[in-house]
Amino acid sequence: MPVLLQTLLDRSVKNMGSGIHPVVKESALEMIKRAYEEGIYVQISAGYRSMEEQAKLYGQGRLGYSYNGKNYSNMSKPKVTNAKPGQSYHNFGVAIDYFISSDDGRRALWTVDDKWRRAAEIGKELGFAWGGDWKNFKDYPHLEMAGGLSYFLLQSGKRPSLTSKVSEIGGHQEGTTL
């Protein structure tokens, strides 16, 4: 029996966190729904990430890394990001990471295959930029919607004005601008 759509949505909402931008959240949930209709079971693994959570990830595989006076170095784990705190769109609630779930919903499948690429395509139709399209560092689980703003502008307090594309392309809700 395939994993229930509501299960994927509930897990994803929890994993996106309370700091996620509302348009990013709406678009991510719509991506999950559309992929599900095609037999692709998508789940969001991460969304908003605090600066401390980013420091913890950045510290993996790095000796002597500290942030705000706290040591986040963890040599027992491999490097997973090149982004320091404030250098990730996750820190501003405008990025998500996803994976494909097994049919029963019990395992994350990290193989970048046709289903993975189709999920990314759905995300792009909804306004996300996909890390799999990057030239230097391919970040296949990553989707972002930064509204053209750089890290510098986000760090200075500017927030993107994002317009939902959910209703524009056959979604079930009215589009919103926030």
Side-chain angles (χ1 to χ4, degrees):
M1 179 169 179
V3 62
L4 297 174
L5 173 60
Q6 194 59 51
T7 299
L8 296 171
L9 294 170
D10 290 346
R11 289 175 182 170
S12 295
V13 166
K14 181 181 176 193
N15 291 343
M16 283 189 275
S18 61
I20 199 76
H21 191 288
V23 172
V24 173
K25 180 179 179 180
E26 174 187 47
S27 302
L29 296 177
E30 183 67 19
M31 178 184 81
I32 294 166
K33 292 173 189 174
R34 291 183 188 188
Y36 194 89
E37 290 173 2
E38 296 182 24
I40 303 169
Y41 308 129
V42 175
Q43 184 176 317
I44 307 304
S45 59
Y48 170 75
R49 194 179 293 146
S50 71
M51 297 298 178
E52 291 73 22
E53 290 168 322
Q54 189 69 35
K56 187 176 179 180
L57 286 177
Y58 183 78
Q60 288 183 200
R62 291 183 170 84
L63 184 62
Y65 176 70
S66 64
Y67 174 73
N68 282 347
K70 183 176 177 184
N71 181 8
Y72 285 95
S73 179
N74 185 347
M75 294 303 291
S76 68
K77 293 188 175 182
K79 288 181 183 178
V80 293
T81 183
N82 291 322
K84 293 180 180 178
Q87 296 177 345
S88 170
Y89 284 119
H90 289 279
N91 302 144
F92 305 98
V94 295
I96 58 170
D97 292 334
Y98 74 96
F99 61 85
I100 304 301
S101 176
S102 61
D103 289 350
D104 62 6
R106 295 183 182 175
R107 290 177 296 116
L109 306 176
W110 294 99
T111 303
V112 179
D113 58 10
D114 289 341
K115 286 183 177 183
W116 193 289
R117 292 178 193 285
R118 176 62 188 137
E121 192 60 38
I122 294 168
K124 288 163 53 174
E125 290 169 4
L126 290 162
F128 285 105
W130 181 41
D133 289 333
W134 296 346
K135 294 192 182 352
N136 294 329
F137 174 72
K138 301 281 187 185
D139 190 355
Y140 293 102
H142 186 86
L143 292 165
E144 64 187 36
M145 197 181 289
L149 297 182
S150 66
Y151 302 123
F152 178 76
L153 289 172
L154 290 166
Q155 289 168 351
S156 72
K158 186 143 177 71
R159 293 295 171 257
S161 175
L162 302 177
T163 302
S164 172
K165 293 186 175 184
V166 170
S167 66
E168 288 179 19
I169 50 179
H172 305 99
Q173 304 173 13
E174 291 295 318
T176 53
T177 301
L178 297 168

